Amino acid sequence: MSLVIRCVDISTSPIEVSVSEFLLEFLKVDDTTGLGLFGVLQEILVSLQLYIGDLRGQGYDNGSNMKGKNKGVQTRVLEVNPGAFYTPYGCHSLNLVLCDMANSCSKTKTFFRVVQRLYVLFASSIPRWAILKNNLKDVKSLPLKSYSQTRWESRIESIKPIRYHPSKLRDALVDLANDTKESIAQSEAKSLVKHKLENFEFLFAMAIWYKLFVVNTVSKFLQSEDMHIDLAIERLKGLIDYFENYKKVGFVEAMVGATEMANEIGIELEFVEKCIIQRKKQFDQDVSEEVTHSTEESMKVNYFLAIMDKALSSFKDRFQQFEVYKKNFGFLFDLEMVSNIDGRDLAMELKCLKQVLPRGVQKPIEVLNFIKLLADSFSNAWNTYRVLLTIPISVATGNEAFQY
């Protein structure tokens, strides 16, 4: 287990970087339960003369032993120090949203299995890989990549040549089927051409998923070391708005994209009709009116809308913690909102601060720099903004470097 601490470095003037990170050491753990990991954490903090009561934020991945609400490390830390706000790994949470979508129906699972089959087929031998590269020699990026279950950036790279060069990839499969003497590889190549690349439904799914990988851009943004909660909430809100809008227009856009790929390959622009088996009902069974959809309508309802609804639901479930932070610290992002706060020193300081704050100073790090110039005039606000900026939005970059 790697231990990384985050703090606000106020030694520079102005304060240029909101969060500094330090990888302290790697810890050997034998007991990976929440209790075991918490015990190791306590011991190392004592040895480093760091008081756990000074902890203001804690962030881990989404493992149950770390984030568990009953026995996880974050819960045990909160029992000792209720002020140590827990943040799930934001980037991993975004990946899990996509995982939820990919597992929402059988068609999505099949789609990614096909993408992986393409990679495995060509990567299994040097001659096969040479055939692929020869057909995609004008493509700047690497032809195909294997994908990781948790690192969705790899999936973007794996589908780029399929999205933008379907005919070249189809030609590579045809060349492989004609040149190879291996019966299994030949059969696999022919199957992928006939049942997948020349299948409008597969191209339609490709068009949908490529547009949804905008998540990767936000994921990279959340990994920046100076990320803090107001920026994270703003980007996540923008991403959710993108998904809500894409739910409205995405089906038509995906049809357009799939049509472009189909025209390039030269296949018919229609979904394959599947045979529906009609079963005779017994005389004592209730007769109910059956609603039937066209194949296109079925793809919209049972595939496109299904994964979009799953995405929006997953966003809500996996990022509830950010709403908790917004509730506790939201007033610090906009001092115009503090007019209803009174009764405490902090509230009085913020009211005064609002009056003297220069126009254009909005971000928490900018407010902190301004307070620093005023010596001890706003001591409570000074501490509050430092706590705000220390709360981790994602796993520390020092930790992430070792994860991948």
Side-chain angles (χ1 to χ4, degrees):
M1 180 170 62
S2 56
L3 176 62
V4 178
I5 63 170
R6 300 161 63 97
C7 62
V8 176
D9 183 3
I10 59 174
S11 61
T12 61
S13 185
I15 304 171
E16 297 178 353
V17 181
S18 60
V19 175
S20 297
E21 300 174 348
F22 303 92
L23 173 63
L24 299 187
E25 61 181 283
F26 293 108
L27 308 174
K28 182 178 181 298
V29 292
D30 298 312
D31 181 1
T32 58
T33 64
L35 179 61
L37 294 172
F38 177 65
V40 173
L41 177 62
Q42 276 189 310
E43 291 177 4
I44 189 62
L45 290 178
V46 170
S47 66
L48 294 172
Q49 298 182 353
L50 294 174
Y51 177 46
I52 197 170
D54 292 334
L55 189 65
R56 289 295 175 265
Q58 50 174 327
Y60 318 104
D61 60 19
N62 286 272
S64 59
N65 56 349
M66 305 302 293
K67 73 166 187 177
K69 294 182 179 179
N70 297 319
K71 299 181 179 180
V73 173
Q74 66 103 356
T75 301
R76 297 182 185 279
V77 171
L78 287 173
E79 290 174 352
V80 178
N81 177 6
F85 289 102
Y86 162 66
T87 304
Y89 182 9
C91 311
H92 192 212
S93 294
L94 283 177
N95 282 333
L96 291 177
V97 169
L98 289 171
C99 286
D100 291 341
M101 295 167 61
N103 293 322
S104 61
C105 67
S106 59
K107 289 182 182 294
T108 59
K109 297 177 184 178
T110 300
F111 171 77
F112 284 109
R113 281 199 294 265
V114 171
V115 174
Q116 185 70 355
R117 281 170 59 191
L118 285 166
Y119 170 80
V120 171
L121 177 63
F122 285 107
S124 296
S125 72
I126 294 177
R128 296 183 201 172
W129 195 257
I131 292 174
L132 178 65
K133 291 184 67 176
N134 184 57
N135 281 274
L136 295 174
K137 57 186 176 182
D138 297 329
V139 180
K140 294 182 180 180
S141 60
L142 291 176
L144 287 175
K145 288 179 181 265
S146 180
Y147 67 78
S148 165
Q149 185 67 21
T150 57
R151 200 179 183 202
W152 277 76
E153 181 181 0
S154 62
R155 301 199 183 199
I156 298 177
E157 296 301 323
S158 69
I159 70 172
K160 274 184 179 178
I162 311 175
R163 172 62 182 88
Y164 291 109
H165 309 283
S167 61
K168 293 182 179 181
L169 185 59
R170 192 265 307 273
D171 292 342
L173 288 168
V174 172
D175 289 346
L176 176 58
N178 294 332
D179 296 346
T180 186
K181 296 181 180 179
E182 302 175 57
S183 59
I184 296 179
Q186 185 182 67
S187 175
E188 176 73 343
K190 290 180 178 180
S191 175
L192 287 169
V193 170
K194 182 177 180 180
H195 300 294
K196 300 305 174 186
L197 284 183
E198 294 183 351
N199 184 312
F200 189 71
E201 181 179 307
F202 177 78
L203 300 181
F204 172 76
M206 176 65 61
I208 290 176
W209 280 99
Y210 191 78
K211 292 288 288 186
L212 296 181
F213 281 127
V214 66
V215 170
N216 186 62
T217 303
V218 179
S219 180
K220 286 185 175 181
F221 183 80
L222 292 180
Q223 295 176 39
S224 57
E225 63 181 14
D226 60 346
M227 174 57 54
H228 41 84
I229 192 169
D230 58 336
L231 295 177
I233 292 176
E234 179 183 343
R235 283 302 180 98
L236 287 170
K237 185 178 183 300
L239 185 60
I240 294 173
D241 290 343
Y242 174 87
F243 270 72
E244 290 177 340
N245 181 67
Y246 191 70
K247 180 180 177 180
K248 301 175 183 177
V249 303
F251 184 80
V252 175
E253 291 185 5
M255 289 293 290
V256 172
T259 300
E260 292 175 356
M261 290 184 278
N263 288 333
E264 181 179 335
I265 296 177
I267 65 172
E268 295 183 1
L269 309 179
E270 60 181 15
F271 296 107
V272 177
E273 294 281 353
K274 294 187 177 180
C275 178
I276 300 177
I277 301 175
Q278 298 289 346
R279 290 184 171 84
K280 185 178 180 180
K281 293 185 177 181
Q282 301 298 324
F283 72 95
D284 58 342
Q285 288 182 324
D286 293 334
V287 178
S288 59
E289 183 179 355
E290 293 184 0
V291 179
T292 58
H293 299 286
S294 66
T295 307
E296 181 175 325
E297 185 67 18
S298 178
M299 285 295 296
K300 181 177 182 179
V301 174
N302 299 323
Y303 184 72
F304 175 74
L305 292 179
I307 62 176
M308 296 308 301
D309 288 340
K310 184 63 178 180
L312 294 172
S313 173
S314 186
F315 273 120
K316 181 179 180 180
D317 292 340
R318 296 193 179 279
F319 290 98
Q320 286 180 336
Q321 192 67 15
F322 283 152
E323 292 301 319
V324 176
Y325 293 151
K326 187 176 181 180
K327 180 180 179 181
N328 284 283
F329 292 98
F331 63 93
L332 293 176
F333 303 139
D334 183 1
L335 289 183
E336 295 300 321
M337 299 173 58
V338 305
S339 58
N340 294 327
I341 301 175
D342 55 21
R344 296 179 181 273
D345 291 343
L346 174 61
M348 294 304 298
E349 287 185 14
L350 292 177
K351 286 183 177 181
C352 295
L353 184 60
K354 181 177 66 172
Q355 302 300 322
V356 300
L357 200 64
R359 184 180 299 274
V361 175
Q362 297 179 342
K363 296 181 179 180
I365 187 62
E366 296 172 345
V367 176
L368 193 65
N369 270 308
F370 178 74
I371 296 175
K372 185 177 182 180
L373 301 175
L374 302 178
D376 298 328
S377 301
F378 299 95
S379 58
N380 291 296
W382 169 254
N383 290 329
T384 303
Y385 273 99
R386 288 166 61 194
V387 170
L388 170 68
L389 290 170
T390 308
I391 294 174
I393 300 304
S394 184
V395 168
T397 54
N399 188 8
E400 176 147 341
F402 294 99
Q403 276 196 320
Y404 297 135

